[in-house]
Amino acid sequence: MQAGKGHKNNMAVPGKPILYSYFRSSCSWRVRIALALKGIDYDIVPINLVKDGGQQYSKEFETLNPMKQVPTLKIDGITITQSLAIIEYLEETRPTAPRLLPLDPKERASVRMISDLIASGIQPLQNLSILKKVGQETQLAWAQAVISSGFKALESVLQSTAGKYCLGNEISMADLCLVPQVANAERYKVDLSPYPTITRIYKTLLTVEAFQVSHPSRQPDTPPELRA
């Protein structure tokens, strides 16, 4: 595994956070957004989920993440897997603005609800490992169906919680989940016209610098033909 350019520097520094990431991984993108919003400088070690049968299956990476998934973050002397656990750790240890989890318990529950709806109810059903099992001929139809089903529920929820963003007018963990999932929907050619609230929030968030610098088209392992 070769270290690549992180948030600012292209040389690994002892003690500096290291994110094991794949440019197109929506879960990795969530964490890249959080790191950017918190202003945390870090290095990236790209893990190609397709090359060589999937670099996540190497023995070396399995010692870091027994689930053989990205993202994985080394920070503060520990290794954390699972994107929402990483984001919550960053918020709890670096509670500076923007707050990714609101202080109000009811608002915090809403953010977690929306985040879990996406991270548990939509994304796992259309990720690479599932699509491989579905089969090449039906992958697109499957992805479109599960995303559309999830977006129908998400649109309904957001109509009662959204302001400028998923919850009111402050960026939260929910927004970090929404943007990569909508990008996946675009990739799989999902018709987004039935989901105006989702689409509006997505377009608004893409104007925010942290969402831009973390974008899959701007990562060290982004293929030249997909680079912005």
Side-chain angles (χ1 to χ4, degrees), residues 98-99 102 111 163-173 175 205:
R99 286 192 173 273
V111 167
K164 186 176 182 181
Y165 305 118
C166 286
L167 181 72
N169 298 315
E170 301 293 332
I171 291 175
S172 70
M173 182 169 67
D175 299 293
L205 287 165

Side-chain angles (χ1 to χ4, degrees), residues 30 33-35 37-38 87-88 90-91 96-102 111 115 171-174 176:
R30 297 171 194 157
I33 299 167
L35 290 164
L37 286 170
K38 292 295 184 180
I87 293 167
E88 293 212 22
L90 294 176
E91 176 58 35
T96 53
R99 286 192 173 273
L100 303 180
L101 287 167
V111 167
S115 300
I171 291 175
S172 70
M173 182 169 67
L176 278 57

Side-chain angles (χ1 to χ4, degrees), residues 22-24 47-57 128 132 187:
Y22 179 55
F23 80 101
R24 193 172 254 168
I47 302 295
N48 194 310
L49 303 185
V50 179
K51 186 179 179 181
D52 303 324
Q55 295 175 348
Q56 70 273 26
Y57 298 118
L128 185 61
K132 284 182 178 179
R187 180 182 169 199

Side-chain angles (χ1 to χ4, degrees), residues 3 8-10 18 27 32 35 38-39 50 53 69-70 79 112 125 127 145 165 167 191 193 198-199 208 227:
K8 294 179 181 177
N9 298 332
N10 58 7
I18 299 174
C27 300
R32 295 195 302 260
L35 290 164
K38 292 295 184 180
V50 179
Q69 298 172 339
V70 291
T79 300
R112 286 180 168 139
L125 298 175
N127 70 8
Y165 305 118
L167 181 72
D191 178 13
S193 60
I198 292 174
T199 303
V208 178
R227 189 170 293 279

Side-chain angles (χ1 to χ4, degrees), residues 83-126:
S83 62
L84 299 192
I86 293 171
I87 293 167
E88 293 212 22
Y89 176 82
L90 294 176
E91 176 58 35
E92 290 168 357
T93 58
R94 294 153 175 86
T96 53
R99 286 192 173 273
L100 303 180
L101 287 167
L103 292 176
D104 179 80
K106 293 179 181 178
E107 292 183 351
R108 186 177 288 235
S110 292
V111 167
R112 286 180 168 139
M113 173 184 68
I114 296 165
S115 300
D116 281 336
L117 189 160
I118 298 168
S120 299
I122 303 176
Q123 190 276 334
L125 298 175
Q126 51 88 92

Side-chain angles (χ1 to χ4, degrees), residues 4-5 23 29 39 51 59-60 80 108 119 150 152 182-183 192 209 215:
K5 185 177 180 181
F23 80 101
W29 189 2
K51 186 179 179 181
K59 290 293 184 182
E60 182 183 0
I80 314 174
R108 186 177 288 235
K152 182 178 179 181
V182 179
L192 296 176
E209 183 181 9
H215 194 278

